[in-house]
């Protein structure tokens, strides 16, 4: 099974999450920033796409790429500075999912909280970012699809 990890990152947080996703996927997994995304996603069984939201708005690179992300399956992981149990999370994820081309199977979504005071500044060297939950998400999503392609 072939996977691709794409990410959009301005502060380094989403890239760090994308690297965590990559670390639990097979060695032949491709890893690219969104601006280097291939024209076609036909070679991939699943694409993990790292996106981010600021002030309830999806970043421009993701907004541009998601409508042409015609992959078999897509799993979205995001950074957001809203309460993980708020309606904002589900509304924003739905906004991202609705940008995907018709027929794309959304294999899962995952959000990592970023403190609002940190949302616009570069990732700090000593800053703790929860990479374990996104690793678990990627591992479980990949395994579920590998063991049951219809899942």
């Amino acid at each position: 099974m072939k996977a691709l990890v794409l990410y959009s990152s301005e502060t380094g947080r989403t890239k760090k999450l994308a690297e965590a996703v990559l670390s639990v996927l097979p060695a032949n997994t491709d890893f690219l920033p969104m601006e280097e995304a291939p024209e076609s996603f036909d070679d991939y069984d699943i694409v993990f796409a790292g996106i981010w939201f600021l002030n309830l708005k999806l970043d421009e690179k993701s907004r541009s790429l998601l409508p042409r992300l015609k992959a078999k399956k897509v799993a979205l992981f995001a950074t957001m500075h809203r309460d993980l149990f708020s309606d904002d999370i589900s509304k924003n994820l739905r906004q991202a999912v609705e940008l995907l081309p018709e027929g794309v199977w959304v294999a899962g979504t995952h959000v990592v909280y970023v403190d609002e005071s940190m949302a616009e500044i570069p990732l700090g060297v000593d800053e703790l970012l929860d990479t374990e939950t996104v690793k678990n998400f990627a591992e479980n999503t990949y395994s579920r699809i590998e063991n049951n392609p219809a899942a």
Side-chain angles (χ1 to χ4, degrees):
M1 196 165 96
K2 183 74 172 151
L4 168 64
V5 178
L6 291 173
Y7 65 91
S8 172
S9 189
E10 190 164 309
T11 62
R13 288 177 186 83
T14 308
K15 182 179 182 183
K16 185 171 182 176
L17 294 178
E19 291 167 345
V21 167
L22 179 66
S23 75
V24 298
L25 297 177
N28 69 339
T29 299
D30 292 335
F31 183 77
L32 297 167
M34 285 196 181
E35 55 270 23
E36 295 177 23
E39 287 301 314
S40 170
F41 301 95
D42 293 344
D43 293 341
Y44 300 101
D45 298 292
I46 185 165
V47 175
F48 288 86
I51 61 177
W52 55 274
F53 294 88
L54 183 62
N55 299 322
L56 304 176
K57 293 183 181 170
L58 180 62
D59 74 276
E60 285 303 316
K61 289 177 187 168
S62 298
R63 183 175 295 286
S64 174
L65 178 81
L66 292 179
R68 69 173 196 84
L69 184 50
K70 188 143 183 68
K72 296 169 188 138
K73 294 181 175 73
V74 173
L76 297 174
F77 59 97
T79 56
M80 189 179 295
H81 62 87
R82 291 287 191 250
D83 177 354
L84 293 178
F85 300 102
S86 75
D87 285 343
D88 292 336
I89 297 288
S90 59
K91 287 176 186 174
N92 283 345
L93 286 174
R94 183 176 184 93
Q95 171 194 17
V97 166
E98 288 177 349
L99 288 173
L100 293 167
E102 189 174 326
V104 171
W105 182 301
V106 178
T109 59
H110 182 78
V111 176
V112 173
Y113 171 77
V114 174
D115 188 87
E116 189 167 0
S117 67
M118 307 293 284
E120 294 186 67
I121 60 174
L123 177 67
V125 174
D126 296 327
E127 183 180 336
L128 295 177
L129 186 64
D130 179 11
T131 58
E132 289 305 309
T133 60
V134 78
K135 284 181 185 179
N136 290 338
F137 164 72
E139 235 173 0
N140 292 336
T141 302
Y142 187 88
S143 175
R144 180 170 36 87
I145 290 168
E146 185 176 46
N147 294 322
N148 182 4

